[in-house]
Each structure stands twice: as structure tokens, then as C-alpha cells.
Amino acid sequence: MTLRLLVIGAALAAATSANAAPRGLTVEDLASMDRVGSPSLSPDAARVVYTVRSTNMDKNRGNTQLWMIDLRAPRPVPQQLTSHDASAADPEWSASGDAIYFLSSRSGSSQVWRLPAHGGEASRVTDLPLGVDSFRVSPKGDRIAVTLAVFRDCADLACSKKRGDEQEKNKATGKVYDQLFVRHWDTWNDGRRNVLYTLPLDAAGKAGKDPVSLSGTLDGDVTSKPFGDRGEYTFSPDGQRVVFAVRVAGRTEAWSTNFDLYDVPAAGGAAPRNLTSDNPAWDTKPQFSPDGKTLAYLAMKRPGFEADRFHLVLQDVASGRKRVLAEGWDRSIADYRWRADGRALLANADDVGQHRLFALDAASGKVTALTGQGYVADFDTRRDTTVIAHATLSGGAQLYKLPANASSEQKPAPLTTLNAARLADVRMGQYEQFSFKGANGDTVYGHVMKPWNAQPGQKYPVAFLVHGGPQGSFGNSWSYRWNPQVYAGAGYATVFIDFHGSTGYGQAFTDSISGDWGGKPLEDLKKGLAAAGEKFPWLDTANACALGASYGGYMMNWIEGKWSDGFKCIVNHDGVFDQRGMAYSTEELWFTEWENGGTYYDNPEGYEKFNPVHHVKNWKTPMLVIQGDLDFRIPTAQALGTFSALQRQGIKSKLLVFPDENHWVLKPANSILWHHTVLGWLDEHLKK
């Protein structure tokens, strides 16, 4: 009866919302939306477990829990599996399909837990003195791999725990460094490394107390910092071996992208063996074929270049012979999975403003598109079943099931409808992709979006959004930080261009921005805005503001000096102001050195050629400057330099600083403040 009343109540709420007057998407809508992720199919492909992240505005944080759908049901209905103040994340099925493993800090620290698939309470699998950052369960179910942050010179975990506790209690806070990294992303180096361990599992799925180190002899992090995950290591199908990716760089770590794959017995007892010593560039994401005879992994070819194309390499385990699969397919793979029969692999990649799922034939390398428009953020495949998390510019990710013979022309079957009731009265802005002749006469793509309530014959002020990276794409996807629908909901049209340097248009197009930050990209932006204005008469391009973050923030400073009459206002989030200062203060030095042709002391001309600081005298456009004080990628001094240059010249400007945010604004209350401040700045200059 209670469940029936809940269903009736939800239906009434949805009906009431659906009958409300239509409106545009608001900042508060965006911040409160539930978010789906991490789909994981059971071994028999009959069920899919996944995560839903909700937002607790009172606690100013997100909370992630596990849900499951029985795909055998005539009308599959999502079922919530966990409910706790502590999140549950990274679900993984047991080999038999009778349980689901996941990470949670419900015991006070992050540990692995096990939940019976058919009901019951979760039990703790690991009980270690240190928090578990990631895990994988052996295909045989007899061993679990975990990654832990430890002091490598400690003999055991208890030593690392004791030293970490002593550091926190020490009243003297100074720290002496003798090599880089000193800090990375948003965290100061405290001397700990991420190390990969394994522990035995008993018949009840309980882990032993004495982990065996697999990577601790190597001076590197498994998983990598700051964004590495369990995709960087894998068990062999028989559970006897583990292959992991690590950068062993020592003093060169801050300017090296040389990740290698190492093979080691799952139970330890032997030194790791380097499988990719022949490649000085990036090797990562190893996965064995279902029969264990082939090891697949992603590899770049050029050392020091983080945006090189990720190729898919297949290595014969017995002989060690390697071959690149689909060499002629000019796309960079983000992630991939083997199909159950081992005859093909599924991979997602940027592709002309979309992020699609493809099938790659393991023998011939033939590539077949499985999805069309939109963004495949995550996916899993078992037997003949594939489930994807798919989003577009008109809605956040939902889970879909692909047909067994999927193609880009077929529509997948929807499995979830998150936020349907919450957004029932929201009308999204209509969008369209377009192309034009950009720099060098090359075809360049972009998107436009109308305000949610656009009327024929009306013109609308423009928010001109410039993506970061710079090797990235602002395409047909959904974002919780830079989302055109928020501007559409506030009455603005938006234009966003995938300029030279963007991904998904071939590696040569991506390469073309390096050493030319202020050249072809600026030309593309100018021509793109003009082309959009000609093609779409509802765009009032003479009444526009430009906005961008990271490289997009750099471009805002560059526009101030080189396109100073183009916009009525500018929003610059975490943007580069002085290339020389950036060269000596950012943490991942390989990035600035590749983009500018070497170190600053060897090639100062490469940095100064497109340095915004040289054109400050041309600045005149009002600018809102935003900075996260924990951003060690583009440090706060860059924003202060920008704001000082504006203030000293009497240019209308504001500075918004978040002491507790990094390169991204992630806390819900801060996100809402960010958006309202930005929209208020646009309103002030475009809606007078």
C-alpha cells in the first residue's frame, strides 16, 4: 500500500508540474538535477546496476547511491539498492552475479562493500587502516585489487597511517621539497603515492588483512593523479595476472607523459615487467580479451603531448607482437570494452561535435558507428547487450539499451527518465549545428541555441561561449558547469564554435592550435560568429558577450586586446593572463612546453607571440574575472594580474573568487552563485 501511494503521489506531482506554465531552465534546476552514471551489466546481462547522484542543497554536497534495473522485465523499472548518508560508488558485479561490490565511506573511511544482488544488507569487504581509492574484483572471485595512498618507504599500512596522522597533528606546517610535483591540480604533495595492492577473498567475499603490493617498487602512482581510475589496471581472465599503467618518472614527472604498462602476478612475488618500454609516450587502459590471448590498450605516439591521438593497440600475449587496430580511423578513443565473443571492441570518441559509440572489428579494424547524435558518456557490454549513458544539449544523461544489431540509425530503448517530473514544465532551447569556412579555408563546425521562448521575427542577445582544453569540443552534450540551456533559460541565444584545435575532426585539426593559440582559433571565432549571424537572423551578434574558462579564459584576455570592439562584456574564468608566469607556475609542465615549443628559457618567443599581457593597452571591454583559489593549473596570480590590469586602466570590472574551489566550481551553492553572478553581468550589459 505504501509503495502504491508513493507511485500515485509521484504521478500527481508530475501531472501538476506538467500543467504548470512553461518556463526555461534555471540555475537552481541545473544544480538540483539527478545524474546517472557507471552502468555495469551483470554477467548474464539480465540486470544493470548504476549510480544516481542527487544533490543535498542543505548539506551543500552531492550524494551517490546504487540503483538497478531488471532488463528481463516487460517494463523495466529502476529499483534503489542503497540509501545512506555516505555515498555508494563504482559498482562491480561478482563473477557469479550474486552480489555487487562498491565503494563507500559509511564505516568512517572509504572501503569496499558487498551487497547481495537479491536483497539484504551490505557487508564490509575490506577493513584497512587506510581509505581505498579504487578496486577491482578478480574474474575468479578469489582476490581483490585495491589502490591506497601510502608512504612508499613504510613497511606496512599501519606505518603509513601513523605517519599521516602525525603530519595532521604537527603544529609546524612547513614542508620542504626537493623535486616537482610540489602540488598537483588542487592538492599539495604530502609525500604519499598511490600504490596497487591485492588481497585474497574468502568464500563469503571478505578480504584478508594483509595486502600484497604490486606496484610499490615503482616510483609512480597507480592510479594516476589527479583523475586516474580503475580503468588503469585489470586482471587477466584467469585471475592470475594484473596489468597496470604507471608513469615512472622520478624528477622528470612534471614534464613527462610516459606512462607504461606493467605485468605482475596477481598474488605478487615477482617484480613488475614493462610491456611497453618501446613507446616513450602514453600507454594506458589495459583490457584482456575474453579468452585472455590478447591484451588491448590505448597508446599515444608523441611523448610530452597529452592531446595526441589515443590509438587502440592489440598485443598477442604469447608472442608479445603488437598491432594498431583501425590505424586509418582518425579519431582519439576515450574508452573501450571488449565484446563477449572477442571479435570486436566497442569504443567512444569525439566525432564532429558528437561523442559517439563505435564497434571496431578485432580482425579487420572496420569501424561501425552504433549511435548517432549526442554524447555517450559511459557504457557497458555483456553477451549481446549494451547499455549506454547518453546525453544531448537538450537533456542530461539517461540510460539506454542498444539493440543487438545496433546502428547509428536505430533508436536505443530508454531505461531511465531521471528529472522528468522535476523538469516537466521546462522548455529547452532549440539547437542546431552549422559549419563555415574558417582559418585556411578549412571547414569548421559550431552550434547555435535559441532562447527557450524564442519567437519568430525576434532578435536575441548572444552569449558567445568558448571552450577550454584547448584540445576539447563544445558539442552536443550536457554539462553541469558550462551549459547553454542555462543561458537559453535566461533569454539568451548562444553560439559556440569548435575552432582549430578542437577534438573530433582528425588529429591534424587538433594539432593545429599548438604554437598558434591566438592565431587560427581567433580567426575561427570571428568568422564563426559572423557566419552564425548571417545564417540565423534571430541572433543579435551586435549585442553579445563572450565567455570562456581555462583556454577559453585565455581567449577572453586575447579578445580584450585583439578583438576589443567585438563584445559588450566578457566573462573570464581561470584564464591565462601572462604566458611567462604560467610557464613557471603551472604544475603539469609538459602542457605549456608542448603548446609553446619548449621551455620558456629555451624558447621565450614561442610564449610571447600570443601573450595577452602585451596587449593590455588595447583593453576596453567590461570584464567579470572569476578564479578558484585552489586552481594550481592556472594559479590565482593570473586572475589577479587580469583584474589589476582592468582596474588600473579604469575599465569596468569585477572579481569573483572562490577560496574553496579548484579549476572547476563544484559545490552546489558556489555553482549557483557563479551562475547568478555571470547572468547578472550579462543582464547588466545586454538587457539595458
Side-chain angles (χ1 to χ4, degrees):
M1 177 61 73
T2 302
L3 177 60
R4 182 172 180 270
L5 290 175
L6 286 172
V7 172
I8 293 173
L12 289 173
T16 301
S17 182
N19 291 329
R23 61 183 181 85
L25 186 77
T26 67
V27 174
E28 288 74 17
D29 289 329
L30 186 69
S32 64
M33 287 176 64
D34 291 341
R35 312 177 191 184
V36 69
S38 303
S40 179
L41 282 162
S42 59
D44 61 0
R47 293 157 293 173
V48 60
V49 63
Y50 59 98
T51 60
V52 174
R53 188 263 200 193
S54 59
T55 302
N56 188 318
M57 299 304 298
D58 291 334
K59 295 183 178 180
N60 197 29
R61 61 178 173 85
N63 180 272
T64 300
Q65 298 300 329
L66 303 186
W67 290 66
M68 186 173 69
I69 297 174
D70 188 338
L71 302 178
R72 298 165 297 186
R75 299 179 63 184
V77 176
Q79 172 192 359
Q80 186 167 357
L81 297 182
T82 62
S83 179
H84 200 280
D85 185 60
S87 289
D90 297 337
E92 182 175 317
W93 287 88
S94 64
S96 63
D98 66 338
I100 300 156
Y101 293 86
F102 63 94
L103 272 183
S104 180
S105 59
R106 57 180 62 186
S107 61
S109 67
S110 179
Q111 300 293 329
V112 182
W113 292 71
R114 186 178 188 270
L115 180 70
H118 297 290
E121 293 297 319
S123 59
R124 188 162 54 182
V125 174
T126 60
D127 187 9
L128 301 172
L130 302 175
V132 177
D133 294 322
S134 71
F135 76 96
R136 276 194 186 279
V137 179
S138 164
K140 297 301 182 181
D142 60 347
R143 187 166 288 274
I144 186 171
V146 298
T147 58
L148 310 169
V150 303
F151 296 98
R152 288 179 58 246
D153 60 335
C154 272
D156 53 30
L157 301 188
C159 167
S160 287
K161 178 68 165 66
K162 180 181 178 183
R163 188 181 301 179
D165 291 344
E166 289 172 348
Q167 282 188 354
E168 291 183 7
K169 295 176 182 177
N170 194 339
K171 294 180 180 179
T173 58
K175 173 70 175 176
V176 177
Y177 297 93
D178 61 4
Q179 70 177 59
L180 301 173
F181 290 109
V182 169
R183 58 186 191 175
H184 201 178
W185 187 246
D186 60 4
T187 304
W188 288 88
N189 183 0
D190 66 358
R192 280 178 271 212
R193 285 285 195 188
N194 293 341
V195 172
L196 179 65
Y197 294 84
T198 62
L199 303 95
L201 290 176
D202 63 22
K206 180 76 173 178
K209 295 286 188 180
D210 299 315
V212 176
S213 172
L214 300 187
S215 69
T217 59
L218 303 174
D219 186 15
D221 290 296
V222 184
T223 57
S224 62
K225 297 175 181 178
F227 303 121
D229 58 29
R230 60 184 176 180
E232 293 178 328
Y233 59 94
T234 190
F235 280 96
S236 59
D238 62 6
Q240 297 301 303
R241 315 291 301 180
V242 171
V243 175
F244 61 88
V246 66
R247 172 177 51 202
V248 181
R251 291 187 174 274
T252 68
E253 184 177 22
W255 55 92
S256 169
T257 61
N258 185 17
F259 285 80
D260 281 309
L261 299 183
Y262 286 81
D263 172 84
V264 66
R273 179 172 60 96
N274 193 337
L275 303 177
T276 57
S277 58
D278 56 324
N279 182 23
W282 205 324
D283 303 288
T284 190
K285 294 197 174 182
Q287 290 187 36
F288 284 93
S289 59
D291 62 8
K293 295 180 179 180
T294 304
L295 177 68
Y297 61 94
L298 298 182
M300 294 181 176
K301 293 184 177 180
R302 289 174 284 181
F305 185 27
E306 67 174 35
D308 199 9
R309 174 185 162 190
F310 262 132
H311 299 74
L312 186 61
V313 179
L314 302 183
Q315 180 180 30
D316 181 78
V317 172
S319 68
R321 287 193 300 268
K322 303 172 184 177
R323 62 186 176 96
V324 176
L325 190 66
E327 176 72 70
W329 182 50
D330 198 5
R331 294 293 182 265
S332 185
I333 294 174
D335 203 0
Y336 72 97
R337 304 280 189 277
W338 282 94
R339 271 190 168 155
D341 59 9
R343 296 180 179 178
L345 302 96
L346 305 188
N348 57 350
D350 283 344
D351 184 49
V352 193
Q354 318 298 322
H355 193 76
R356 306 167 73 189
L357 186 66
F358 300 86
L360 284 67
D361 186 275
S364 68
K366 179 183 177 182
V367 179
T368 304
L370 302 183
T371 61
Q373 304 293 300
Y375 192 98
V376 177
D378 203 353
F379 63 96
D380 195 22
T381 185
R382 295 267 192 156
R383 298 194 176 185
D384 62 350
T385 300
T386 300
V387 172
I388 63 173
H390 181 268
T392 67
L393 280 165
S394 62
Q398 303 286 354
L399 292 189
Y400 295 84
K401 180 183 176 183
L402 295 184
N405 57 343
S407 70
S408 58
E409 287 75 32
Q410 294 175 297
K411 288 187 176 181
L415 297 175
T416 62
T417 56
L418 272 70
N419 306 300
R422 178 184 285 117
L423 303 180
D425 57 339
V426 171
R427 184 186 301 164
M428 298 293 181
Q430 297 178 346
Y431 60 91
E432 182 177 338
Q433 189 177 35
F434 71 103
S435 64
F436 59 95
K437 293 297 181 183
N440 296 335
D442 296 335
T443 299
V444 177
Y445 289 83
H447 279 83
V448 295
M449 182 179 289
K450 292 181 178 180
W452 73 274
N453 56 351
Q455 299 296 318
Q458 296 293 314
K459 281 184 173 289
Y460 296 95
V462 174
F464 188 58
L465 308 178
V466 180
H467 72 69
Q471 295 90 352
S473 176
F474 206 150
N476 189 8
S477 62
W478 185 266
S479 171
Y480 289 94
R481 291 182 292 111
W482 286 85
N483 193 317
Q485 288 291 355
V486 170
Y487 302 91
Y492 291 99
T494 55
V495 180
F496 34 110
I497 306 297
D498 268 358
F499 46 81
H500 276 81
S502 300
T503 52
Y505 305 91
Q507 191 59 42
F509 192 84
T510 300
D511 291 349
S512 65
I513 194 172
S514 299
D516 194 34
W517 273 30
K520 291 185 292 295
L522 179 63
E523 185 177 346
D524 289 342
L525 294 174
K526 287 182 175 182
K527 290 182 175 179
L529 184 59
E534 292 178 7
K535 183 176 178 63
F536 305 103
W538 42 269
L539 292 170
D540 187 359
T541 57
N543 191 30
C545 286
L547 308 86
S550 195
Y551 170 82
Y554 158 88
M555 182 53 70
M556 297 304 102
N557 285 332
W558 191 244
I559 283 173
E560 270 280 21
K562 304 296 287 187
W563 191 9
S564 57
D565 58 349
F567 301 95
K568 291 187 176 179
C569 75
I570 290 174
V571 177
N572 171 358
H573 177 106
D574 289 8
V576 176
F577 170 68
D578 178 14
Q579 291 279 36
R580 181 172 66 172
M582 177 72 174
Y584 286 118
S585 60
T586 192
E587 9 82 281
E588 293 184 350
L589 298 181
W590 66 77
F591 174 75
T592 53
E593 291 176 10
W594 182 275
E595 292 303 304
N596 296 285
T599 62
Y600 185 88
Y601 50 80
D602 283 329
N603 183 30
E605 296 82 5
Y607 290 77
E608 301 298 348
K609 183 178 181 181
F610 297 109
N611 194 346
V613 75
H614 295 310
H615 305 283
V616 168
K617 284 290 289 182
N618 297 334
W619 288 17
K620 63 181 182 181
T621 307
M623 183 187 290
L624 169 63
V625 183
I626 307 174
Q627 181 71 31
D629 202 31
L630 296 180
D631 184 359
F632 302 155
R633 183 64 42 86
I634 300 180
T636 301
Q638 296 287 319
L640 294 177
T642 300
F643 190 59
S644 295
L646 293 161
Q647 289 282 302
R648 190 65 182 84
Q649 296 184 94
I651 300 170
K652 188 170 186 178
S653 50
K654 291 182 179 180
L655 173 65
L656 172 61
V657 177
F658 293 97
D660 55 347
E661 299 284 6
N662 54 39
H663 202 54
W664 305 327
V665 176
L666 301 176
K667 294 181 174 64
N670 285 342
S671 176
I672 290 172
L673 173 61
W674 187 99
H675 280 93
H676 280 304
T677 304
V678 169
L679 290 174
W681 187 251
L682 268 61
D683 290 347
E684 180 180 348
H685 295 281
L686 299 182
K687 291 186 176 180
K688 293 181 179 178

